[in-house]
Amino acid sequence: MTDFTFEHAPGDGGRPAVVFMSALFAGGWIWEHPYRRLAAAGVPVLRTHEAVCALDRRVAGSIERLGDALLRACDEAGERDVIVCANSLGGLVAIDLAGRHPDRVRGIVVSGAPGLTPDPDVGLSFDRRASVRPVGAEFGDRMTAALFHGEERFFTQEQMDGVGAMMLRPEAMVSMARSIKATRRYQVRPALDKVRCPAAFVWGRHDRMTPVDPWLELLADYPGTEVVVVADSGHIPMIERADEYTAVLESFLDRHGRVPA
């Protein structure tokens, strides 16, 4: 039994599976656009369903255990060689997996990872005594302002309600707190030093939660990495600029999406 449940399309074979990891608050639905387009093209794909906050606190509170849980899902699906695409907290998981499992991880595509700036701020307090709780229009407005560059709402009401309901559960609050603590402890530069596979970092220029500039400064020391800054996007470019994000991913796969002989 895995910690994550998942959706899997095996594709045509002969290529690493593109594995989309869900984020701290959001489930696998943030990957709808690239998942469907790659699946339609015959690329093997897998995406996890649960947000990290919905997992057991012992898993959610460890970058390494989250990566192990992701690989267990891949094992259950029969996918050995993988390219990991991850946003936010999942970005650290992707980096960590690449360093720990170079025999399996053939590439990583990272967006909006924490670890170089103070704790991500979604503009909310989830304390039950707070004036703003994760329900209703004000919650939606603040979440939208924190995550996206423009004023358009890219989450459906059903998705927003699902996030809010999850955050009202005490166990999810504990998992969230432990996840954030794990990002504080995680040493990004030593982890990047261990990455040997192709790596792309696709970041929204206007990411308020995990600003891009500290990452640009750090990644300048890793000339083999690919860096793409999405001009009109916030924290979730795979939703806010879905066509642009997926095109970057497709280009990456054209160059690196084959299993070595």
Side-chain angles (χ1 to χ4, degrees):
M1 180 65 180
T2 61
D3 296 285
F4 286 111
T5 61
F6 57 86
E7 180 179 3
H8 174 232
D12 298 335
R15 290 179 276 191
V18 179
V19 177
F20 299 100
M21 181 176 170
S22 42
L24 182 60
F25 299 115
W29 45 267
I30 67 171
W31 301 105
E32 179 70 14
H33 189 277
Y35 182 94
R36 294 298 175 202
R37 196 146 94 183
L38 294 184
V43 178
V45 288
L46 181 150
R47 61 173 167 177
T48 57
H49 288 149
E50 293 83 4
V52 170
C53 281
L55 300 179
D56 182 272
R57 65 185 67 180
R58 291 166 294 184
V59 176
S62 167
I63 302 299
E64 294 81 5
R65 287 184 189 138
L66 283 167
D68 292 344
L70 185 65
L71 287 187
R72 285 195 293 272
C74 296
D75 291 340
E76 186 173 318
E79 299 288 2
R80 184 184 185 282
D81 296 286
V82 298
I83 291 174
V84 181
C85 296
N87 179 250
S88 196
L89 170 64
L92 296 184
V93 176
I95 293 168
D96 190 73
L97 277 176
R100 291 194 295 124
H101 294 280
D103 58 322
R104 295 190 65 174
V105 180
R106 304 302 181 185
I108 58 174
V109 181
V110 173
S111 305
L116 299 184
T117 49
D119 294 346
D121 180 10
V122 296
L124 296 168
S125 169
F126 291 109
D127 190 313
R128 289 177 180 272
R129 297 165 297 179
S131 60
V132 178
R133 300 180 66 202
V135 292
E138 189 173 1
F139 166 67
D141 291 343
R142 291 204 183 188
M143 185 70 81
T144 297
L147 295 177
F148 300 115
H149 173 50
E151 295 182 359
E152 183 179 352
R153 280 199 180 196
F154 291 89
F155 293 165
T156 66
Q157 190 60 51
E158 180 181 4
Q159 290 162 348
M160 192 68 72
D161 290 345
V163 172
M166 178 184 66
M167 296 312 303
L168 285 171
R169 299 200 299 267
E171 60 270 25
M173 293 292 295
V174 174
S175 292
M176 178 187 70
R178 293 199 175 187
S179 294
I180 292 174
K181 185 177 180 180
T183 68
R184 294 186 194 128
R185 295 193 306 260
Y186 196 73
Q187 299 297 306
V188 176
R189 183 181 286 274
L192 282 174
D193 289 342
K194 298 176 184 177
V195 174
R196 297 291 179 265
C197 66
F201 292 79
V202 187
W203 229 273
R205 164 53 69 188
H206 304 280
D207 188 335
R208 299 179 188 83
M209 292 187 68
T210 53
V212 67
D213 287 339
W215 282 89
L216 294 178
E217 182 177 350
L218 175 61
L219 293 172
D221 294 334
Y222 300 85
T225 61
E226 177 180 350
V227 180
V228 178
V229 178
V230 183
D232 295 317
S233 179
H235 187 61
I236 316 179
M238 62 287 306
I239 290 181
E240 193 167 8
R241 291 292 176 265
D243 283 324
E244 186 172 347
Y245 176 90
T246 302
V248 171
L249 177 56
E250 288 170 331
S251 175
F252 184 86
L253 295 177
D254 285 343
R255 287 174 281 122
H256 306 297
R258 293 287 171 183
V259 177

